[in-house]
Amino acid sequence: MSQLNETALGEQLIAFRHELHRFPELSNQEFETTARLRQQLEQHQIRIVDLPLKTGLVAEVGPAQGPLIVLRSDIDALPIEEQSDVAFRSERPGVMHACGHDFHASAALGAAILLKQQEATLPGRVRILFQAAEETGQGAPDVIATGALQEAVAIFGIHNDPSLPPGVVGSKAGALTAAVDRFDIRITGTGSHAAKPHQGNDPIVIAAQIVSAAQTLISRNAPSADNAVVSITQLHSGSTWNVIPDSAWLEGTVRTFSQSTRERLEQRFREIVLGLGAAFAAEVEFNWHAGPPAVVNDAHWADFALQQATASGLEARVVEASPIGEDFAFYQQQLPGAFVMIGTGEPFALHHPAFRINDAVLLPTSRYLAQLAVAALRSLERA
Ligand SMILES: [Zn+2]
Ligand SMILES: [Zn+2]
């Protein structure tokens, strides 16, 4: 195969990224995105691993046997109406690539193409995941269930970071993103006339007690170094001024960086909520919906990923953990790996309707990913 000129590859990747951006698809509905990726991979004679995935796909480069390194990207978009002024704005009302997964998928495609060019000399295999449904936290468990990672030695994932300067690669050993859990609380009491509250047990007063008590969850149950967060984001009750309602409903999220704090907060929150229900003689239900655990980077591979950033001409930086969620964490429960942030230096945060990507970072990210995979395979050879 003729070596593809890098400038031409960079332009092709940008054009491909813009195409994905124009036609975003929500989690688990990425049928056209998957077809577009498949077509690109086939065009470059890159083999696609036969796996029972509804959307998303897995490519592989390298010899039939040998150690296996995995590079992971994601491909889904968000239910957001785009407000950016780019020429390739979303053509799907209410759907937008506002987390830059179009960038991740294109960068991973570029890495696959660059790896294909050196396939004959690769000391092992590289699997490139184009994962569906990251935003719902279900995509990674679906990939794991196919057995795609069974032989893999290590996994690397990327996410763009508008707050880092363009081309800066940020990571750290240990927790990088938070476990993202959701809770909801339903209070069922007895309503009454607003003038005769003694005839009921006001669920609004109980909800207020729960909101106040929740503020002690972190301050009195989590070690100060753990940086946990509890936020109550919805509280609904009542419908008019002179009736005390018979129910209230609250919802919110808990973000934690360590498994022990995560378990402790769930347990204490449940005890506090149910205890307040008993204290005020109302029926209270506490539901905990576990999301992805924290991304916890393997110390060796996080350090390795930062070293390879420097080796591929990018600036490496040790960054602080962030209380966002990432379903990459599920992979790290199966095998060691590192998640890295790629700076884009853009003004709007992830999930913002005016979110943008810096296209100049695309080809360097592909080069970095390819370099990282090859170096990881070589390091295994030496080990
Ligand atoms: Zn996102
Ligand atoms: Zn994302």
Side-chain angles (χ1 to χ4, degrees):
M1 196 178 92
S2 66
Q3 291 288 98
L4 184 58
N5 168 306
E6 280 223 355
T7 315
L9 175 62
E11 280 163 15
Q12 280 175 28
L13 292 174
I14 289 171
F16 183 71
R17 209 278 287 177
H18 294 178
E19 192 181 314
L20 293 185
H21 195 88
R22 280 169 60 205
F23 305 105
E25 294 173 297
L26 294 174
S27 308
N28 282 323
Q29 296 170 32
E30 310 92 334
F31 295 102
E32 286 177 27
T33 306
T34 303
R36 285 192 169 90
L37 284 162
R38 181 179 290 275
Q39 194 209 1
Q40 287 288 325
L41 292 163
E42 284 172 354
Q43 203 179 311
H44 289 91
Q45 287 97 45
I46 296 167
R47 64 181 181 273
I48 293 162
V49 186
D50 187 22
L51 294 167
L53 288 168
K54 192 176 85 163
T55 51
L57 74 177
V58 179
E60 188 180 277
V61 182
Q65 297 292 316
L68 178 64
I69 292 290
V70 182
L71 301 176
R72 178 276 206 162
S73 69
D74 44 14
I75 65 172
D76 55 328
L78 285 157
I80 292 175
E81 181 73 30
E82 178 155 10
Q83 286 170 25
S84 86
D85 53 4
V86 296
F88 48 91
R89 286 171 64 123
S90 168
E91 293 181 25
R92 302 234 158 94
V95 186
M96 179 194 176
H97 269 295
C99 205
H101 297 185
D102 51 344
F103 170 80
H104 306 159
S106 305
L109 172 67
I113 293 168
L114 290 169
L115 288 164
K116 181 70 186 175
Q117 289 175 356
Q118 43 188 313
E119 189 167 37
T121 59
L122 283 183
R125 293 173 293 157
V126 183
R127 280 196 173 171
I128 303 102
L129 306 188
F130 299 92
Q131 182 210 301
E134 191 287 321
E135 296 291 356
T136 60
Q138 194 46 47
D142 287 349
V143 171
I144 292 165
T146 67
L149 306 180
Q150 260 163 22
E151 298 163 54
V153 182
I155 184 164
F156 299 99
I158 53 160
H159 207 292
N160 73 90
D161 186 344
S163 71
L164 281 176
V168 169
V169 175
S171 193
K172 72 184 277 286
L176 181 68
T177 73
V180 176
D181 299 317
R182 178 169 66 85
F183 59 84
D184 73 85
I185 299 162
R186 181 169 298 282
I187 305 162
T188 311
T190 307
S192 64
H193 193 293
K196 298 178 178 174
H198 63 283
Q199 292 176 350
N201 52 358
D202 191 338
I204 291 180
V205 171
I206 303 169
Q209 299 281 342
I210 289 173
V211 173
S212 296
Q215 309 311 311
T216 68
L217 271 170
I218 306 295
S219 67
R220 293 299 173 267
N221 296 283
S224 60
D226 272 12
N227 293 325
V229 177
V230 175
S231 291
I232 293 173
T233 54
Q234 294 204 63
L235 199 174
H236 299 277
S237 186
S239 56
T240 187
W241 69 280
N242 57 358
V243 177
I244 292 175
D246 61 6
S247 68
W249 184 79
L250 303 89
E251 189 180 47
T253 183
V254 176
R255 308 285 165 114
T256 48
F257 292 96
S258 85
Q259 188 60 25
S260 58
T261 299
R262 186 186 195 192
E263 287 166 13
R264 167 103 175 132
L265 290 185
E266 180 194 351
Q267 183 209 336
R268 287 298 295 136
F269 204 177
R270 188 184 300 276
E271 287 167 1
I272 288 169
V273 166
L274 298 184
L276 284 168
F280 293 97
E283 201 183 299
V284 176
E285 199 182 298
F286 179 82
N287 299 305
W288 182 265
H289 312 274
V295 162
V296 180
N297 283 339
D298 177 83
H300 165 70
W301 289 118
D303 192 40
F304 190 88
L306 286 173
Q307 280 169 23
Q308 293 310 314
T310 315
S312 75
L314 299 172
E315 184 189 329
R317 196 179 284 185
V318 175
V319 293
E320 285 183 11
S322 163
I324 59 162
E326 236 309 329
D327 79 351
F328 184 79
F330 288 115
Y331 297 123
Q332 292 173 313
Q333 292 183 327
Q334 309 290 316
L335 74 167
F339 196 66
V340 300
M341 312 305 287
I342 310 282
T344 56
E346 288 288 340
F348 299 105
L350 302 173
H351 294 206
H352 191 284
F355 174 84
R356 283 195 317 245
I357 282 284
N358 183 339
D359 279 325
V361 181
L362 184 46
L363 181 63
T365 302
S366 296
R367 273 202 228 105
Y368 166 61
L369 284 172
Q371 155 102 20
L372 178 59
V374 173
L377 287 173
R378 297 234 161 90
S379 79
L380 295 172
E381 230 181 4
R382 284 194 301 270

